[in-house]
């Protein structure tokens, strides 16, 4: 039987019934070519596919898995919750427990509303910003991804600070034109947008550390500038911490950079791997959300008891262990090894790590925005990705994603990965 026969068979069946054979596009391996493997199970830093291959995993459910796969504390919390009922649609104590944990860890969130995905969180936060300010325009940064809500599927028009164009069929041009896109890390472009449209901009939404254009950290002063400019123009600042929350630091990027956004969205880690996300922020804003206020948002499975229990277990573990220095040292070791191997092979590479989040680009650094990231050698990334996978190291199947580490990535996994990076780089650049 072929090396990946079981995955291949499952993929053929999936292609018949699920668009592209996947339930989220990036999983289809279109960014690297070939076909995806199917997971059988996972434990700690490892995932095992249906053909018996063992991979050291750096996707970690796109950041949600931070303790390691199937961590006993999470599994026990989910089992205990499930035995008490899987869903009520009625308030339950676990929602209050998780709300107290989240608002205690992220004090800028004076109130919080749980939803089921990062997309729901960002859509709701933007609706709140528009409702609270009475303004229609929103501003985002090129390369930042905030979920698949219509207002976010927008590419920049020509020029720099211009109104948006639909990035997907099905997004009305009239709606896309309400989204302004400017380059990340570019305060001049932001000032220009506010000079021309400032009194119409409801909010700026930003990935405080970009993970969706590959890893791009903010330059010195970027967030302070965002905070100043939005305040000056009466626009709200939304930190989209769906990826960075409880990942780059316990309190997220806002704790790392000392910024108090008006609203924050969180996801991934907050749910312990279950479908949980949230938006929250200033009390005077959140109290405008139904039923406290007139701005409507709802969800059948919001505050689901199993998701709440998994989230509580994960955040309690992180609050008590505060593992971020250890996570960052592992992530930094990986970046150093990868960049070193690339340069030894005579190819440019640049990368970075913050807490348990890291990433790299095969281009001369520094990478400051999406245009820089798009100059990277994607063909080399594809060869490197497959050379790593064949050696048991699983990276995100796209050059425009971040990577992660978990508490379960110990010395053995890091040492093995460093060795694989060297071998894979030789193969990919031969
Ligand atoms: P979801 O709707 O996928 O739960 O969250 C959307 C979202 C919002 N904001 C940020 C900063 C995000 O990173 C995401 C989702 N991240 C991607 C990873 N690049 C999810 C992976 C996928 O789309 O399958």
């Amino acid at each position: 039987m072929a090396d990946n026969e079981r995955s291949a068979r499952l993929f053929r069946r999936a292609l018949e019934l699920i668009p592209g054979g996947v339930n989220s596009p990036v999983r289809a391996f279109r960014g690297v070519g070939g076909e995806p493997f199917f997971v059988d199970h996972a434990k700690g830093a490892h995932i095992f596919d249906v053909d018996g291959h063992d991979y050291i995993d750096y996707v970690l459910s796109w950041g949600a898995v931070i303790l390691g796969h199937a961590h006993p504390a999470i599994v026990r919390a989910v089992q205990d919750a499930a035995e008490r009922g899987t869903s009520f649609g009625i308030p339950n104590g676990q929602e209050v427990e998780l709300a107290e944990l989240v608002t205690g860890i992220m004090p800028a969130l004076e109130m919080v509303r749980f939803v089921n995905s990062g997309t729901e969180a960002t859509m709701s936060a933007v609706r709140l910003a528009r409702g609270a300010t009475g303004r229609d325009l929103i501003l985002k940064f090129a390369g930042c991804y905030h979920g698949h809500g219509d207002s976010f599927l927008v590419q920049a028009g020509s020029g720099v600070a211009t109104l948006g164009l639909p990035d997907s069929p099905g997004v009305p041009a009239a709606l896309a034109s309400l989204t302004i896109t400017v380059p990340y890390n570019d305060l001049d472009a932001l000032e220009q947008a506010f000079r021309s449209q400032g009194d119409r901009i409801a909010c700026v939404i930003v990935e405080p550390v970009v993970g969706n254009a590959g890893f791009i950290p903010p330059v010195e002063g970027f967030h302070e500038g965002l905070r100043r400019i939005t305040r000056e123009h009466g626009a709200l600042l939304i930190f989209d911490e769906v990826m960075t929350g409880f990942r780059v630091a316990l309190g997220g990027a806002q704790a790392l950079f000392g910024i108090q956004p008006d609203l924050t969205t969180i996801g991934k880690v907050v749910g312990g791997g279950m479908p949980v996300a949230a938006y929250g922020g200033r009390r005077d804003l959140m109290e405008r959300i139904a039923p406290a206020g007139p701005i409507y948002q709802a969800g059948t499975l919001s505050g689901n008891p199993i998701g709440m229990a998994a989230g509580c277990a994960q955040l309690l573990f992180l609050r008590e262990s505060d593992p971020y220095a250890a996570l960052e040292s592992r992530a930094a070791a990986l970046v150093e090894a990868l960049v070193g191997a690339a340069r030894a092979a005579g190819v440019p590479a640049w990368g970075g790590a913050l807490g348990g989040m890291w990433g790299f680009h095969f281009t001369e650094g520094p990478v400051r925005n999406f245009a820089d990231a798009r100059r990277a050698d994607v063909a080399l990334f594809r060869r490197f990705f497959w050379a790593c996978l064949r050696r048991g190291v699983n990276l995100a199947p796209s050059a425009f994603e971040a990577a992660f580490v978990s508490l379960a990535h110990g010395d053995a996994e890091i040492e093995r990965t460093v060795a694989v990076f060297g071998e894979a780089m030789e193969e990919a650049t031969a």
Side-chain angles (χ1 to χ4, degrees):
M1 187 158 65
D3 190 36
N4 65 340
E5 184 54 36
R6 289 188 174 85
S7 279
R9 281 184 191 154
L10 278 167
F11 193 49
R12 279 196 294 278
R13 285 168 55 195
L15 283 167
E16 286 301 308
L17 301 171
I18 306 168
V22 293
N23 286 301
S24 197
V26 69
R27 304 178 193 170
F29 273 33
R30 300 283 176 98
V32 291
E35 294 187 352
F37 60 86
F38 280 61
V39 175
D40 177 73
H41 68 285
K43 182 66 180 170
H46 297 256
I47 46 176
F48 303 86
D49 73 12
V50 292
D51 292 290
H53 301 112
D54 171 355
Y55 306 104
I56 300 171
D57 183 24
Y58 291 101
V59 175
L60 295 167
S61 186
W62 305 96
V65 174
I66 192 167
L67 305 185
H69 286 292
H71 189 281
I74 306 288
V75 173
R76 194 167 45 251
V78 168
Q79 285 171 331
D80 291 352
E83 284 166 6
R84 302 162 62 87
T86 55
S87 182
F88 310 119
I90 302 170
N92 66 83
Q94 290 280 25
E95 294 169 287
V96 181
E97 298 287 336
L98 189 53
E100 288 172 343
L101 270 171
V102 167
T103 54
I105 292 170
M106 288 182 143
L109 282 75
E110 294 175 327
M111 296 189 87
V112 65
R113 166 64 63 86
F114 291 110
V115 293
N116 303 281
S117 71
T119 295
E120 265 194 277
T122 54
M123 282 170 56
S124 308
V126 161
R127 181 182 305 139
L128 172 54
R130 284 171 160 154
T133 61
R135 300 176 179 182
D136 291 342
L137 298 189
I138 69 171
L139 186 144
K140 69 180 288 289
F141 296 89
C144 287
Y145 176 70
H146 303 293
H148 65 85
D150 284 350
S151 292
F152 306 121
L153 296 183
V154 171
Q155 59 191 349
S158 59
V160 173
T162 58
L163 299 184
L165 303 170
D167 206 11
S168 162
V171 176
L175 182 58
S177 71
L178 300 178
T179 300
I180 300 169
T181 304
V182 300
Y184 193 74
N185 277 323
D186 187 339
L187 290 175
D188 291 342
L190 186 76
E191 295 261 30
Q192 180 191 337
F194 272 93
R195 270 197 301 275
S196 62
Q197 313 263 8
D199 58 352
R200 296 180 58 209
I201 299 175
C203 62
V204 169
I205 185 166
V206 65
E207 286 188 58
V209 179
V210 178
N212 290 289
F215 180 88
I216 304 177
V219 296
E220 188 72 30
F222 178 59
H223 288 313
E224 290 75 8
L226 281 183
R227 185 62 285 183
R228 172 180 54 79
I229 294 166
T230 46
R231 275 220 174 94
E232 281 169 3
H233 292 272
L236 300 182
L237 176 58
I238 303 176
F239 261 27
D240 178 359
E241 297 228 40
V242 165
M243 188 180 281
T244 56
F246 320 101
R247 169 57 67 177
V248 297
L250 182 62
Q254 54 196 264
L256 210 54
F257 300 118
I259 296 288
Q260 180 149 349
D262 300 297
L263 294 172
T264 299
T265 53
I266 53 179
K268 300 181 194 287
V269 173
V270 74
M274 302 304 289
V276 176
Y279 63 105
R282 284 170 27 199
R283 181 177 296 276
D284 66 301
L285 293 172
M286 292 302 291
E287 285 184 335
R288 296 165 180 259
I289 294 291
I295 300 172
Y296 197 70
Q297 180 268 313
T300 303
L301 297 175
S302 298
N304 174 274
I306 299 182
M308 298 295 103
C312 284
Q314 182 130 288
L315 293 196
L316 279 169
F317 195 103
L318 291 168
R319 193 180 66 178
E320 281 149 29
S321 60
D322 193 3
Y324 295 92
L327 289 170
E328 184 162 315
S329 69
R330 292 170 196 167
L334 295 171
V335 172
E336 184 184 350
L338 191 148
V339 171
R343 289 180 178 159
V347 295
W350 180 87
L354 278 172
M357 180 177 170
W358 60 284
F360 61 94
H361 302 265
F362 287 132
T363 184
E364 284 301 335
V367 173
R368 291 285 178 252
N369 55 42
F370 195 33
D372 289 348
R374 291 173 84 162
R375 280 191 278 274
D377 184 340
V378 175
L380 171 56
F381 174 83
R382 286 181 182 156
R383 297 194 301 274
F384 182 71
F385 168 85
W386 281 105
C388 286
L389 194 66
R390 281 192 292 270
R391 292 171 172 81
V393 168
N394 183 48
L395 297 172
S398 162
F400 300 105
E401 292 289 353
F404 307 95
V405 289
S406 80
L407 278 179
H409 287 74
D411 293 344
E413 282 78 22
I414 301 302
E415 284 160 22
R416 173 63 190 147
T417 304
V418 167
V420 165
F421 281 173
E423 296 164 22
M425 193 63 69
E426 275 180 39
E427 178 183 317
T429 55

